[in-house]
Amino acid sequence: MTIGLFGGSFNPPHEGHRHASLVALTRLGLDQVWWLVTPGNPLKDNQALPSLEMRVAAARQLADHPRIVVTGIEADIHTRYTYDTIAWLQRRCPGVTFVWIMGADNLAGFHRWQHWQGIASRVAIAVVARPGATTKGPLAKAARALAAFRLPEYKARNLKRHKPPAWVFLHAPLDSNSSTALRARGHGLPASEN
């Protein structure tokens, strides 16, 4: 079984998240995509972050697909960083191949993630084009550092068979939705009360 891991705050979840997941399911030949709704992104201010339960419920409602599984597992296993979550999942699911999915906007800042090189050495990575980041992402520091391990897009379906580090950039019709823009327009989830 091959499972795509798609992490984020999902504050709020939107069609761009679903779009990236469906692109990855199809283009990579994945069995499932798991949305890992984080209790709080270490690189962001989480003061006004809606509750995990609220974000998971909203994500489940939006995902509405038999092969997209929404989970808040990071809170249960007490991980804060992607590297630790992936390591935990790999220990508990030895027969599963995991692929990390991220938008091109995240690739631009991937070098700021804790143990980003370790993530790249543990799992193959699929980067899905995002508006405004389609050209910036592939030129980012992490993309340049991992350039020798980039597969041509026409080999995307083989990504799951490549030993990490391996990554591919997936071009697809762009979905302009973003959580930041939705919150700015007042379409976010209510903040949790602390």
Side-chain angles (χ1 to χ4, degrees), residues 17-31:
H17 294 127
R18 191 172 192 279
H19 172 73
S21 299
L22 296 176
V23 166
L25 276 167
T26 305
R27 301 278 301 281
L28 303 175
L30 303 176
D31 296 300

Side-chain angles (χ1 to χ4, degrees), residues 137-153:
L139 300 175
K141 181 177 178 177
R144 290 191 317 267
L146 297 170
F149 305 104
R150 183 177 176 181
L151 295 177
E153 191 169 357

Side-chain angles (χ1 to χ4, degrees), residues 60-191:
R60 284 186 177 139
Q61 184 176 11
L62 178 94
D64 191 30
H65 193 282
R67 291 170 49 207
I68 298 175
V69 178
V70 179
T71 176
I73 193 170
E74 289 181 315
D76 297 332
I77 64 174
H78 306 290
T79 56
R80 185 167 175 201
Y81 298 103
T82 300
Y83 178 85
D84 298 327
T85 303
I86 291 169
W88 189 92
L89 288 169
Q90 287 177 324
R91 284 192 304 273
R92 291 222 171 31
C93 307
V96 175
T97 299
F98 291 103
V99 174
W100 186 258
I101 302 165
M102 70 169 72
D105 49 337
N106 279 311
L107 178 60
F110 187 46
H111 65 280
R112 295 176 47 228
W113 294 24
Q114 185 169 46
H115 304 305
W116 69 271
Q117 291 151 317
I119 295 168
S121 70
R122 290 196 83 102
V123 292
I125 299 171
V127 179
V128 181
R130 292 281 298 139
T134 301
T135 54
K136 280 192 296 190
L139 300 175
K141 181 177 178 177
R144 290 191 317 267
L146 297 170
F149 305 104
R150 183 177 176 181
L151 295 177
E153 191 169 357
Y154 72 89
K155 291 188 176 180
R157 203 160 185 87
N158 297 327
L159 180 68
K160 60 190 174 193
R161 291 190 267 291
H162 279 265
K163 185 178 181 334
W167 70 287
V168 67
F169 192 95
L170 300 175
H171 292 86
L174 300 179
D175 187 301
S176 62
N177 285 296
S178 83
S179 295
T180 303
L182 289 170
R183 287 192 308 274
R185 290 195 307 262
H187 298 294
L189 299 169

